[in-house]
Amino acid sequence: MKDSPSLRRLLKIYQKEGIIIDTSEKGLQEREKSPNFLERDLHPLLCRFVNLNPHFKCQVKTVYHELSTNPKKGYNEWLHPDIVGVYFPFEDYRDVTLKIQKSLSLSSIKLFSFELKRDLNFGNLRLSYFQAVSNSSWANEGYLVVLKMDNDPQLLEEIQRLNNSFGIGLIKLNPENVDESEIIFQSRVNNEFDWDTIDRLVENNSNFRDFMQDVVEDIQLGKIKGTYDPFMNDDELVSFVKEKHII
C-alpha cells in the first residue's frame, strides 16, 4: 500500500523539526527500558480517567502493536496509537435530538487517539510528541499522555508551541488520584477524518478493526454494546498502581 498524503506531510515535518526515528532493534529496546513498569501498565489509569472525565466520557480500546500484520521493526510504533477511544452522545441527548442530528447528517460522536509515555523531558519531547502526531492524524482529537514530566517552564513553553503548531494535546496522569489527572493542553479538534489512515489501520491491526466495527454497530443500535476496555474501581486501581510500583 502506498503512503498516504498525510504520512508524506508528516515525514516533511519530521525532517524540518530534526526528528530522527530510530527503528533499529537497539533503539526500540532503549525506549522500552524501565526499572519498574511498562508504558502499557499505564493503560488502566488512562482508561479510568477518560471514561469519567466530562471532556471525554469515552469508551476505549487498547491497540496491541504486536498483533499488526506488518512485521518490520518500529513500523507499527509510528502508525498505531496506544489507546483509541470513542464518545457516544446516547446518554447526553434526548432521542429526538439524536434523530435530528441523523436526519441532518450530523453527529456529535468523537474519536480519540492516545499515545502514552512514562516520562517527558527535553531529551524525548520531540520524538514523543511527533509519534503522537503520526499516530493521531485519523482522529477528531489526539493526545500525548505522560505520567511524569520535568518541572521546567521552558519545557511547557515548547509543548505549547508544538500544540499551537500541530494540535496534539497533553494529559498528565496522577497515579495517586487518577480522577484528578490533568488536561494540560487541549487537543485541536479535527473535523475531517483521514480515511486513508483509518483504512490502513483497519487492514493492519485486528484490535483497531474490532474497535471500529464496535463503533459502527453501537451507532446503528443507538446504545453501547461493544467490547471496550473495562475501567477499574477505586480499590482495584489502588492495588494495581502499588503492585506495578507506579507509586
Side-chain angles (χ1 to χ4, degrees):
M1 182 180 293
K2 295 182 178 179
D3 290 340
S4 66
S6 62
L7 180 57
R8 291 194 293 271
R9 288 196 298 271
L10 283 171
L11 291 174
K12 291 181 180 178
I13 291 171
Y14 300 153
Q15 185 178 19
K16 180 180 178 182
E17 292 285 333
I19 304 298
I20 299 174
I21 306 172
D22 183 358
T23 60
S24 68
E25 186 168 0
K26 181 180 179 181
L28 295 176
Q29 289 174 347
E30 284 295 319
R31 293 204 294 277
E32 281 300 311
K33 284 182 179 178
S34 172
N36 297 315
F37 59 90
L38 301 173
E39 286 174 357
R40 191 163 286 173
D41 292 328
L42 300 177
H43 288 205
L45 283 68
L46 178 65
C47 178
R48 161 75 179 239
F49 174 65
V50 298
N51 188 274
L52 298 180
N53 183 271
H55 174 75
F56 297 103
K57 291 191 288 187
C58 68
Q59 307 297 318
V60 302
K61 192 175 188 69
T62 297
V63 177
Y64 291 97
H65 300 188
E66 58 267 30
L67 296 181
S68 296
T69 56
N70 193 308
K72 184 179 179 181
K73 289 284 185 180
Y75 175 86
N76 298 322
E77 193 177 26
W78 290 80
L79 178 63
H80 310 126
D82 292 314
I83 291 181
V84 293
V86 56
Y87 159 75
F88 294 111
F90 307 141
E91 297 179 358
D92 292 336
Y93 293 112
R94 302 182 189 278
D95 288 344
V96 65
T97 304
L98 295 173
K99 289 178 181 178
I100 291 172
Q101 286 186 341
K102 186 175 181 180
S103 67
L104 295 175
S105 298
L106 301 173
S107 177
S108 51
I109 293 167
K110 282 187 178 181
L111 295 176
F112 299 92
S113 172
F114 303 98
E115 186 67 33
L116 282 94
K117 299 296 177 187
R118 292 184 298 266
D119 303 280
L120 191 66
N121 50 59
F122 269 115
N124 68 357
L125 171 60
R126 287 173 180 267
L127 187 67
S128 300
Y129 192 91
F130 283 100
Q131 186 179 354
V133 172
S134 178
N135 293 343
S136 302
S137 65
W138 58 274
N140 294 119
E141 294 186 20
Y143 287 86
L144 175 62
V145 184
V146 301
L147 181 69
K148 299 177 182 179
M149 57 185 295
D150 286 355
N151 186 21
D152 185 342
Q154 290 185 329
L155 179 64
L156 278 179
E157 289 176 4
E158 180 63 10
I159 297 172
Q160 185 169 35
R161 182 191 73 81
L162 293 170
N163 175 260
N164 291 338
S165 297
F166 304 105
I168 296 298
L170 178 69
I171 296 172
K172 187 177 185 303
L173 295 174
N174 181 345
E176 296 181 355
N177 188 337
V178 173
D179 297 348
E180 292 186 1
S181 298
E182 184 180 0
I183 305 172
I184 297 179
F185 293 110
Q186 194 82 40
S187 169
R188 181 187 304 156
V189 177
N190 178 18
N191 292 316
E192 294 185 6
F193 293 112
D194 182 349
W195 292 110
D196 287 340
T197 299
I198 289 176
D199 190 59
R200 190 173 184 175
L201 284 163
V202 167
E203 178 186 23
N204 193 264
N205 186 275
S206 59
N207 291 143
F208 189 86
R209 181 167 59 250
D210 292 343
F211 169 76
M212 295 302 292
Q213 186 62 45
D214 283 340
V215 169
V216 170
E217 292 177 359
D218 286 354
I219 291 173
Q220 293 173 343
L221 289 172
K223 61 179 66 175
I224 300 173
K225 301 287 286 185
T227 305
Y228 305 102
D229 291 359
F231 70 90
M232 297 180 178
N233 61 35
D234 291 342
D235 292 337
E236 290 171 332
L237 203 55
V238 169
S239 297
F240 179 81
V241 296
K242 289 182 178 179
E243 175 189 346
K244 296 294 183 179
H245 302 289
I246 296 173
I247 58 174

